[in-house]
Amino acid sequence: MKLVLAITLLSCLAAPALAKNLGSIQVKDYGEVWVVAPDWAVGAIQMHDNGFTMNGNSRLYFANRADDGWNPDMYWQTPLMDKHFAYTLDLSNVGCHCNAAAYFINMPGNNAGDGDYYCDANLGNNIWCPEYDTMEGNKYTIATTLHTCNGGNGYWDSCDRGGCQVNAFNVDSNMMCPEDRCTINTNKPFVISHFQNAGQANTWMGQEGRDASFGMCNDGGYLSNMASSYGGMVFSASLWGGGGIDMGWLDGVTGCGGECNIDGSSVTFTNFELWA
């Protein structure tokens, strides 16, 4: 995630955030996982249909139990190595210059920071940690980014902020868009799946018998280095943008226009799966 995400979301906090358990979902081929969010985001998230809808300026995490309160061992350490992590995604209400993100971070951070032990590769919460951006996007395109860090065992002294990134539009300008001419019509829900190991990180999308896929990083050495983090990363999702935030790095290549109406935006995730 870009540095501005941490700035934007943490600016909502006048004091350390409290946690709220929002309920649980069933992850196919794994089991029950709980959804938790900072208190400032709770009102912007609705649980339904084995998933959730997030409205603008919100963030959540997956947890291994139903806790109201931040505990460093409460987060679901997703076993990503050699696995497919998939879900149904609806980006139809995420317009140009808004950013709906699904990503993994090597949480918990080495201290509580603002309360939730959040960390990322852009020093979110003033804590570094590896970050795997499986999807940052809107209905015009998505970008995927791997971020490695220096250090280990929960203590990282710096990270590659820019990371190794691929934009779906640059792979195929007709891969996804809010029109039937594209392989994935983002005005309708579609399935998205991420697979990762020491040799590859791949995103696949499918809808109504059509599919598309692309490599998430084209640097073999970077892929290998990133793999050391796949044993224990925590899923997080967020929806952010607007207020003059520059999302040109994400969707500038598409030529889409207009300001992000973050207050009127929403993204829906349902039917998560984790399988080999």
Side-chain angles (χ1 to χ4, degrees):
M1 305 293 291
K2 300 298 180 184
L3 177 60
V4 69
L5 171 58
I7 295 172
T8 301
L9 295 180
L10 292 178
S11 68
C12 299
L13 306 177
L18 301 175
K20 177 65 177 178
N21 166 44
L22 300 178
S24 67
I25 60 173
Q26 291 293 325
V27 176
K28 186 179 179 182
D29 296 328
Y30 176 82
E32 191 171 19
V33 170
W34 284 262
V35 178
V36 297
D39 53 2
W40 52 262
V42 167
I45 303 167
Q46 297 83 45
M47 301 289 294
H48 61 88
D49 301 325
N50 201 34
F52 46 83
T53 293
M54 306 178 70
N55 297 293
N57 286 326
S58 56
R59 186 169 72 208
L60 58 75
Y61 310 104
F62 282 178
N64 58 36
R65 61 180 186 264
D67 266 12
D68 281 326
W70 301 121
N71 296 296
D73 63 348
M74 69 182 284
Y75 297 104
W76 180 39
Q77 304 285 334
T78 314
L80 290 172
M81 180 65 81
D82 289 312
K83 297 286 183 63
H84 298 262
F85 184 85
Y87 45 93
T88 298
L89 179 64
D90 187 346
L91 291 172
S92 61
N93 200 35
V94 185
C96 188
H97 306 327
C98 296
N99 186 333
Y103 60 109
F104 290 89
I105 50 264
N106 215 168
M107 289 175 65
N110 58 33
N111 65 79
D114 281 287
D116 58 2
Y117 295 88
Y118 181 82
C119 60
D120 66 26
N122 277 292
L123 202 59
N125 211 8
N126 205 34
I127 308 170
W128 295 109
C129 70
E131 179 178 346
Y132 178 32
D133 296 328
T134 48
M135 190 282 295
E136 292 184 86
N138 52 48
K139 59 185 179 179
Y140 295 94
T141 191
I142 63 172
T144 60
T145 316
L146 282 61
H147 300 269
T148 58
C149 301
N150 296 320
N153 299 317
Y155 292 87
W156 312 92
D157 54 41
S158 66
C159 297
D160 180 8
R161 290 176 183 259
C164 183
Q165 184 176 97
V166 172
N167 191 298
F169 188 89
N170 289 332
V171 176
D172 178 358
S173 61
N174 293 312
M175 184 181 298
M176 59 187 301
C177 71
E179 300 177 34
D180 279 331
R181 67 176 176 82
C182 289
T183 304
I184 304 297
N185 182 344
T186 54
N187 277 329
K188 308 173 186 178
F190 59 95
V191 175
I192 186 166
S193 177
H194 315 289
F195 176 82
Q196 51 285 313
N197 59 27
Q200 65 174 307
N202 181 269
T203 287
W204 176 93
M205 296 179 285
Q207 182 187 64
E208 299 175 352
R210 303 181 302 275
D211 64 78
S213 64
F214 63 95
M216 301 164 71
C217 170
N218 296 318
D219 183 326
Y222 210 104
L223 288 165
S224 178
N225 290 338
M226 188 73 207
S228 63
S229 296
Y230 292 148
M233 302 191 90
V234 173
F235 177 83
S236 181
S238 61
L239 178 58
W240 60 292
I245 295 172
D246 181 10
M247 292 288 181
W249 61 271
L250 172 61
D251 55 24
V253 293
T254 72
C256 69
E259 177 67 17
C260 168
N261 176 16
I262 193 62
D263 292 332
S265 299
S266 62
V267 59
T268 297
F269 298 82
T270 55
N271 298 325
F272 286 83
E273 303 179 22
L274 182 69
W275 52 280

